[in-house]
Amino acid sequence: MTETEQPSVPLSVLLADPELGLRQVAGPAEDRRISTVGTTEIEDPTPYLFGGELLLTAGVRLPRSADGIDTYLRRVVAAGVAALGFGVAPVHEEVPPELAAACDRHGLPLLRLPPATPFVAVGQATYAAIAEARNRELRDISKAQSALASAAARPDALQAVLTQLSAHTGAWAVLFDAQGNELFGAGPRPPAPAPRRVRDLAVRTLARTSRRHAAHRPAPPTAAADHHGGIHLTVHTLPGTDGATTPLALAQATTTAPTLVHRHVTSTATVLLALLTSPRHALGTDTHSVGALVRLMLGATPAQVAPALAPAGRTSGEHWIVVHGRHVPRRSTPAPPTGDDPAQLATLGTALGTPYLYIDGPSLRALIPGAPDTRPSAPAQAADLEWILGFSAPAAVPDLPQADRQAERALQRAIAADAPAVVHSPDPLSLDAIVAPADAQELARTRFAPLDRAGSPGATVLLDTLRTWLNLHGSWDRAAAALRVHRNTVRHRLARVAELLDVDLRDPGVRMELWFALRWLPDEHRTHP
C-alpha cells in the first residue's frame, strides 16, 4: 500500500468474522486487501468504481447468459474490484454456477453472503476493521518513534538508531557513505548479492543527488528502490547534504514489502540520522563541553575542567585515552574530507565513543574517557573510512602530555606496520625503564641541538622527516608519501640531518640511537601532525 492509497483490511479478516458468516465459493485463495464496500444492482457499475472494493450484489440485474456474466466480470475486474460478494435470497436462492465459473476464470474472489447478513453489516464490519488497523498502525508508529528518539540520546546514537530501526521494521539497516563504505549496520544481513546491490543503489543515488542540476529542472529524487530475488531494497539519502559535508545514505533490505508503518519509521530514522550528523551534534556543542571550554580559556587548568567533560556518574578518578589518527586514502578515493565535516566527525565520534575529537585535514586527535584498566581497540568504521589510529594507555589528567606521546608513537608504529591501529603497551624490560626520564630528555636535547643551525626548512621539519623515515624502516617512498613530499625532498632533508649531526644514517646503531633520542625529545622540539 502506498502513501496515497486508502486504508485497507485483508479479506481474510472479514471471512474470519463469525457474525458475518461469509464464505468464499470461487476465485483465487490469495488474501486481497479491501479498502471500501460498495453495493450495486446495475448492469455496468464500472463508472462508479475506483478500485479496491468489495462489491456486493443480490444479482437483481445480473445477466442471465454465461456470456453476459463473463462480460460483467471482465468489466469489474478491469475496474480494480478486489472481491465480489453475492447475497442469496430473495432474487437467487444460491450463487449462480455461471458466476462462480466466471470468477474462477478471471481470478476474482467470490463470497457468498447468507440471507441473514445484511449488506450494511458487511460495510460496518469492514470499516471497523479498517479503523482498528489504522489505530494499530498509529500505535506501532508512535512506539517506534519513541524508541528511535531514546536511541538518538545514547552515546552511540548512530548505531542505536539503526538498531531500533531494524527492530521495528525487520530490515537490515545500514548507513553508507558516498564511496559505499558500510559505516554502521544493524539487523539480519541478507544473503548475497543483496548487500552488493543495495550498496550500488546507495552509491548511485548519492552520486545523482550530489550533482549540480539546472535551476529550471526539478531536483533529482533522494530515494530509490529495487526488488531482487524476493528481497526489497530501499535507499534514502540523508536530508541537509549541501556539498560541504560527506553525503550519507540509509539503506534497507527486507524480505517483506515496506508497509505504511515501515515508511513512517524509516522517515523518522532518516531525519534523526541527519540531525545526528549535523554540525551542532557532531561537534559536541553541549552545555558541559562549552562551559569547560570557557573555563579553560579563562585560566582554569585541564585538571579543573576535566570532571565537567566526564560522562554522567563518573566525575571522580577519571582517566582518558589519547588517540592520534592519520587518514591514508586508497589511490582510487578522493582527498580526505575537511576537518569541519560533521558527518565525518559524527561517524568517527560514534565509532570511538567520544565527542571530544578534532580533525585537521589528514590528522585526527581525540580524547576518550575511560577507566584505568580500559583496553581500547580500533573500531571497524575507522578502518572503513581509511583512518589509521594510535591509542595511548589510560592516563589521569596530569599525565595527558605523556599519553599524547604514547598515542603518537603508537600511530607511527601502526603506519609502519600498515595496521589499522596500535595500542600503547608499556614494557618494563625496555631501555625506557632503566634510564631516568630527565637524563633521557637531556640526552635528546643535546643530541639534536645542532639542527637548530639548519636554516630553512628548520629543525622542526627535519626532525619530523627523520622520525617518519625511521618509523617506516628507512623507506624513501613510504616516508615521502606519509609526509606528502617528493622522495628527493626526503633524501635532501636526511642528508642535511646527517651532515649537521655528523652521523652515518646507513649505520643501524646510529639509527637506533637517534630513534631512542627522538622518543624522549622534549615537547617544545616535537611536531604534531
Side-chain angles (χ1 to χ4, degrees):
M1 183 178 71
T2 65
E3 300 274 358
T4 58
E5 288 179 344
Q6 294 288 328
S8 62
V9 66
L11 181 61
S12 58
V13 171
L14 302 179
L15 290 171
D17 189 336
E19 297 198 8
L20 295 178
L22 305 180
R23 179 166 57 90
Q24 184 171 346
V25 296
E30 65 186 58
D31 201 4
R32 302 283 179 89
R33 298 197 69 87
I34 306 300
S35 60
T36 188
V37 176
T39 301
T40 181
E41 298 298 346
I42 61 177
E43 294 180 359
D44 183 11
T46 54
Y48 309 100
L49 303 174
F50 59 85
E53 297 94 348
L54 169 57
L55 187 63
L56 303 180
T57 180
V60 176
R61 303 293 296 274
L62 188 70
R64 300 298 178 182
S65 67
D67 288 343
I69 291 176
D70 190 83
T71 300
Y72 176 85
L73 258 295
R74 192 183 316 113
R75 287 173 177 171
V76 298
V77 168
V81 166
L84 181 66
F86 192 87
V88 297
V91 181
H92 296 267
E93 294 184 359
E94 196 49 71
V95 177
E98 296 84 0
L99 181 62
C103 285
D104 284 333
R105 202 162 42 247
H106 291 284
L108 184 68
L110 175 62
L111 311 185
R112 179 187 184 275
L113 276 68
T117 301
F119 286 5
V120 68
V122 178
Q124 290 176 342
T126 301
Y127 298 131
I130 288 175
E132 174 57 29
R134 174 50 60 94
N135 288 336
R136 187 166 52 250
E137 289 175 343
L138 293 176
R139 289 194 298 269
D140 291 343
I141 291 171
S142 177
K143 182 179 178 181
Q145 289 176 337
S146 177
L148 288 170
S150 298
R154 289 169 51 97
D156 57 339
L158 293 177
Q159 182 63 60
V161 167
L162 289 178
T163 299
Q164 287 299 324
L165 174 62
S166 175
H168 287 275
T169 62
W172 178 54
V174 59
L175 193 64
F176 286 107
D177 66 8
Q179 286 72 47
N181 295 312
E182 294 182 20
L183 305 182
F184 298 93
R189 190 182 185 91
R196 177 183 56 80
R197 291 180 67 93
V198 75
R199 171 191 177 276
D200 294 343
L201 184 64
V203 170
R204 292 197 304 270
T205 306
L206 285 170
R208 184 177 62 241
T209 57
S210 297
R211 297 192 199 103
R212 295 184 177 273
H213 56 280
H216 63 281
R217 292 187 177 181
T222 59
D226 193 8
H227 182 268
H228 177 75
I231 297 180
H232 298 265
L233 311 175
T234 57
V235 168
H236 298 267
T237 61
L238 299 193
T241 300
D242 53 9
T245 62
T246 299
L248 301 174
L250 170 63
Q252 292 173 285
T254 178
T255 55
T256 58
T259 65
L260 178 67
V261 174
H262 292 176
R263 284 191 290 275
H264 275 282
V265 174
T266 299
S267 177
T268 300
T270 303
V271 172
L272 285 174
L273 291 171
L275 291 174
L276 291 170
T277 53
S278 67
R280 180 174 180 82
H281 177 86
L283 296 176
T285 53
D286 58 275
T287 55
H288 288 291
S289 299
V290 171
L293 177 60
V294 171
R295 290 172 59 195
L296 194 64
M297 294 179 68
L298 295 178
T301 66
Q304 290 172 323
V305 302
L309 303 179
R314 295 177 56 192
T315 57
S316 62
E318 187 61 48
H319 281 60
W320 298 83
I321 297 167
V322 181
V323 183
H324 283 210
R326 178 70 62 85
H327 190 265
V328 184
R330 305 182 187 95
R331 294 182 179 179
S332 60
T333 59
T338 59
D340 58 354
D341 176 13
Q344 178 93 179
L345 287 170
T347 302
L348 287 172
T350 302
L352 292 171
T354 179
Y356 308 119
L357 72 161
Y358 170 69
I359 300 176
D360 182 14
S363 300
L364 171 148
R365 283 183 149 197
L367 285 171
I368 304 175
D373 57 351
T374 301
R375 175 70 178 179
S377 59
Q381 291 85 359
D384 291 340
L385 292 172
E386 301 169 341
W387 284 92
I388 296 178
L389 303 175
F391 293 83
S392 75
V397 173
D399 299 325
L400 282 178
Q402 180 182 353
D404 190 52
R405 292 192 292 270
Q406 292 175 357
E408 176 58 23
R409 290 199 294 267
L411 172 61
Q412 295 299 333
R413 291 200 300 273
I415 294 174
D418 197 20
V422 166
V423 179
H424 172 78
S425 297
D427 184 358
L429 300 180
S430 67
L431 289 175
D432 293 342
I434 62 175
V435 179
D439 294 341
Q441 289 185 2
E442 182 59 31
L443 169 65
R445 185 182 293 108
T446 303
R447 191 71 185 86
F448 293 113
L451 296 185
D452 292 336
R453 307 190 304 270
S456 180
T460 298
V461 173
L462 294 180
L463 284 169
D464 194 30
T465 303
L466 176 62
R467 181 182 293 107
T468 302
W469 181 73
L470 290 173
N471 194 63
L472 295 173
H473 309 294
S475 170
W476 304 104
D477 292 329
R478 294 178 64 190
L483 294 168
R484 289 177 169 77
V485 297
H486 194 276
R487 67 194 307 269
N488 288 341
T489 301
V490 176
R491 287 182 176 274
H492 174 74
R493 291 178 182 175
L494 291 177
R496 184 64 174 149
V497 169
E499 176 187 354
L500 291 170
L501 299 183
D502 192 21
V503 296
D504 183 0
L505 293 178
R506 295 172 298 180
D507 186 336
V510 170
R511 293 201 296 268
M512 181 185 69
E513 175 193 343
L514 294 177
W515 179 248
F516 178 84
L518 280 170
R519 293 180 63 184
W520 283 100
L521 195 64
D523 287 347
E524 64 267 21
H525 294 286
R526 291 178 55 82
T527 60
H528 297 291

